[in-house]
Amino acid sequence: MEKLTDERRKALDDDHIRNLSRMEQANTDVLVHSSEIPGGYTVPPHRHRRTQFLCVFAGVVLVGTERGRWMIPPGHALLIPRGLEHSVEMLSDVSMRSVYIYSPEGRAASLVPTVLEVTDLARQLITETVRQDDLAEDRGRSELVMALLLDEIGRLPERRLGLPFPASGRLAELCRDFVEQPSPVAKIDDWAWRLNMSRRTFTRFFRQETGVSFVTWRQQACLFACLPRLAAGEPVTRVALDAGYESVPAFTTMFKRMLGTSPRAYLTSRAAA
């Protein structure tokens, strides 16, 4: 991962401003954009008048909003609703493609950010769309490829990689601290004690603030910490033990529940992509 200097960061900020202005002024219903961005850079908070389909080809990005964070590892994409202010943090060197869709129908009309697993077909169509956009090839063919891509986006499977956050307060501080140092054995009673609440009151309060149970949130946060390391090629055993799991099978069970596949199968599919 390259060292990000102030000069390089300023250049990236300027590129973002120019690209955002260009996209917002364009009249076409669908736009595509290719990005190669170094780790450590964060795209400042912004919004689009189109729904954004942000697809990660390599690296790991973290999209943050006021109410939650969404991690997108390689082979996945985040559907970002139009008008939603968000930032994009590069947790490693990133190669990503974005499709901006101006449509009131289908998935593009969604009001909730959604993490999607990108199929081989969707990846190939995105690559072809970017290539044709760069070369300005036959318009008829481009429209057919784009139409098929939009249809395929509507069929992609959802993955539970969102991490809802409380808006503010002491609970938000605890959640942020946990993301920095996650543990699969963190106890409800400990968090309840820190907030001077009974276990029952804390459980109800946590669900009201985040929309999920403490156990579900804890599993998602632990996965957040593991994905960048796995994507960087670290051994599964080391990542599992460092994350506090007593065994690789226990870690694998959690991973399969969240991503629908084992860590090794996930890494193999990402390497082959």
Side-chain angles (χ1 to χ4, degrees):
M1 190 165 72
E2 72 175 75
K3 180 178 177 56
L4 197 59
T5 64
D6 290 342
E7 183 179 1
R8 175 68 168 137
R9 194 182 304 274
K10 175 63 166 57
L12 289 168
D13 285 343
D14 291 342
D15 285 343
H16 167 67
I17 293 173
R18 284 193 297 269
N19 289 328
L20 183 61
S21 176
R22 177 181 62 84
M23 287 185 294
E24 293 302 289
Q25 293 175 15
N27 293 322
T28 54
D29 289 340
V30 182
L31 295 169
V32 293
H33 182 66
S34 179
S35 304
E36 310 292 328
I37 306 178
Y41 177 69
T42 298
V43 179
H46 63 287
R47 65 185 80 222
H48 310 286
R49 66 187 180 97
R50 295 176 176 82
T51 296
Q52 180 181 5
F53 178 76
L54 190 159
C55 178
V56 178
F57 277 28
V60 181
V61 307
L62 185 65
V63 177
T65 71
E66 184 181 57
R67 291 293 297 176
R69 296 181 181 183
W70 286 262
M71 175 171 283
I72 308 99
H76 291 76
L78 181 67
L79 199 69
I80 305 173
R82 64 173 58 88
L84 178 66
E85 185 174 75
H86 59 283
S87 60
V88 184
E89 180 181 353
M90 315 302 153
L91 300 184
S92 62
D93 293 343
V94 169
S95 176
M96 62 185 182
R97 312 290 182 266
S98 286
V99 182
Y100 298 90
I101 309 165
Y102 191 76
S103 172
E105 301 176 350
R107 266 202 166 134
S110 173
L111 300 178
V112 180
T114 307
V115 180
L116 305 171
E117 182 176 349
V118 178
T119 60
D120 289 340
L121 176 58
R123 181 186 176 94
Q124 293 294 335
L125 289 170
I126 292 170
T127 300
E128 180 64 14
T129 300
V130 171
R131 188 185 73 85
Q132 291 193 8
D133 186 65
D134 290 340
L135 298 177
E137 290 189 348
D138 179 69
R139 181 177 179 82
R141 175 180 171 83
S142 297
E143 291 177 350
L144 288 173
V145 171
M146 186 64 73
L148 183 55
L149 172 59
L150 295 181
D151 181 76
E152 183 66 8
I153 289 175
R155 301 171 185 267
L156 298 180
E158 295 185 15
R159 293 301 179 201
R160 295 170 54 192
L161 291 176
L163 190 66
F165 261 65
S168 60
R170 178 57 179 154
L171 180 59
E173 294 178 12
L174 290 178
C175 288
R176 292 190 182 94
D177 290 344
F178 185 87
V179 169
E180 294 296 324
Q181 293 185 313
S183 169
V185 296
K187 300 293 192 298
I188 292 177
D189 291 335
D190 292 339
W191 284 47
W193 178 80
R194 293 185 187 184
L195 295 180
N196 196 27
M197 295 179 178
S198 68
R199 178 188 177 94
R200 182 176 180 180
T201 299
F202 171 81
T203 299
R204 184 171 59 250
F205 175 65
F206 192 93
R207 185 178 287 276
Q208 288 174 345
E209 288 290 304
T210 65
V212 297
S213 70
F214 175 79
V215 172
T216 296
W217 189 92
R218 182 186 64 193
Q219 291 174 337
Q220 292 172 331
C222 286
L223 185 62
F224 261 42
C226 294
L227 281 176
R229 297 180 61 186
L230 290 173
E234 291 194 39
V236 175
T237 299
R238 180 194 303 164
V239 173
L241 295 178
D242 286 351
Y245 286 84
E246 295 182 358
S247 66
V248 173
F251 175 73
T252 298
T253 297
M254 179 278 298
F255 198 95
K256 290 179 70 174
R257 185 183 304 120
M258 302 296 291
L259 277 179
T261 187
S262 70
R264 287 189 173 87
Y266 169 82
L267 291 175
T268 299
S269 65
R270 299 286 75 77

